[in-house]
C-alpha cells in the first residue's frame, strides 16, 4: 500500500488568502474564499484528496462557481493566480523562505 502524502495545512494562510481580492475579477465583496487548485496533471488533488494549502488562490463566489463548472480560461489561469498569491504572502511576511543547509549523515 502506498502511504498517503502529508499535505501542508495552515488556517492562518487560508484566512490571509480569503481576505484578498478575487484573483480572477478583482472584486472584494465578502464572498472571497481560498480555492484549492484542481489540476490533476500536477497531482494536486483528485478523488478524496485536497492539495496542500500552498496551492490556493482567492476567488469570489461567482468565479469559484465558474471554475468548478469548468470555465477553461479560469482553470488554465490557476497556476498564475497561485504564483501571484504566493508573491503577496511573501511580501507581507505571511510565509517566509529561510535557507537552512542540509546536514548529510554518512552511514
Amino acid at each position: 500500500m502506498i502511504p498517503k502524502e502529508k499535505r501542508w495545512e495552515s488556517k492562518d494562510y487560508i484566512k490571509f488568502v480569503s481576505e484578498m481580492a478575487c484573483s480572477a475579477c478583482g472584486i472584494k465583496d465578502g464572498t472571497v474564499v481560498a480555492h484549492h487548485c484542481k489540476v490533476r496533471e500536477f497531482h494536486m488533488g483528485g478523488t478524496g484528496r485536497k492539495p496542500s494549502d500552498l496551492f490556493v488562490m482567492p476567488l469570489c463566489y461567482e468565479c469559484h462557481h465558474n471554475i468548478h463548472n469548468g470555465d477553461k480560461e479560469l482553470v488554465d489561469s490557476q497556476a498564475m493566480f497561485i504564483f501571484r498569491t504566493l508573491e503577496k504572502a511573501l511580501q507581507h511576511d505571511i510565509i517566509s523562505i529561510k535557507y537552512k543547509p542540509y546536514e548529510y549523515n554518512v552511514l
Side-chain angles (χ1 to χ4, degrees), residues 12 20 23 35-36 43 45 76-77 82 90-91:
D12 289 335
M20 296 170 69
S23 290
H35 165 73
H36 287 82
H43 305 288
D76 291 346
S77 298
I82 290 168
L90 285 165
Q91 290 169 354

Side-chain angles (χ1 to χ4, degrees), residues 33-101:
V33 296
H35 165 73
H36 287 82
C37 185
K38 299 294 185 199
V39 182
R40 291 177 194 237
E41 289 82 14
F42 299 112
H43 305 288
M44 293 190 294
T47 305
R49 289 189 55 204
K50 186 186 279 189
S52 166
D53 286 350
L54 279 176
F55 302 108
V56 297
M57 68 213 78
L59 291 178
C60 70
Y61 176 82
E62 185 174 340
C63 293
H64 195 216
H65 173 77
N66 291 342
I67 208 166
H68 277 282
N69 283 309
D71 182 308
K72 184 170 175 18
E73 186 177 340
L74 287 177
V75 170
D76 291 346
S77 298
Q78 288 181 106
M80 178 184 60
F81 295 156
I82 290 168
F83 293 141
R84 289 180 182 168
T85 304
L86 288 168
E87 285 177 2
K88 289 179 183 176
L90 285 165
Q91 290 169 354
H92 291 29
D93 289 327
I94 302 300
I95 58 176
S96 65
I97 300 171
K98 294 179 184 173
Y99 174 70
K100 295 180 184 177

Side-chain angles (χ1 to χ4, degrees), residues 6-22:
K6 184 170 170 51
R7 52 186 292 275
W8 182 79
E9 295 178 279
S10 173
K11 289 181 182 180
D12 289 335
Y13 186 64
I14 295 297
K15 183 176 182 337
F16 169 76
V17 172
S18 67
E19 292 172 351
M20 296 170 69
C22 177

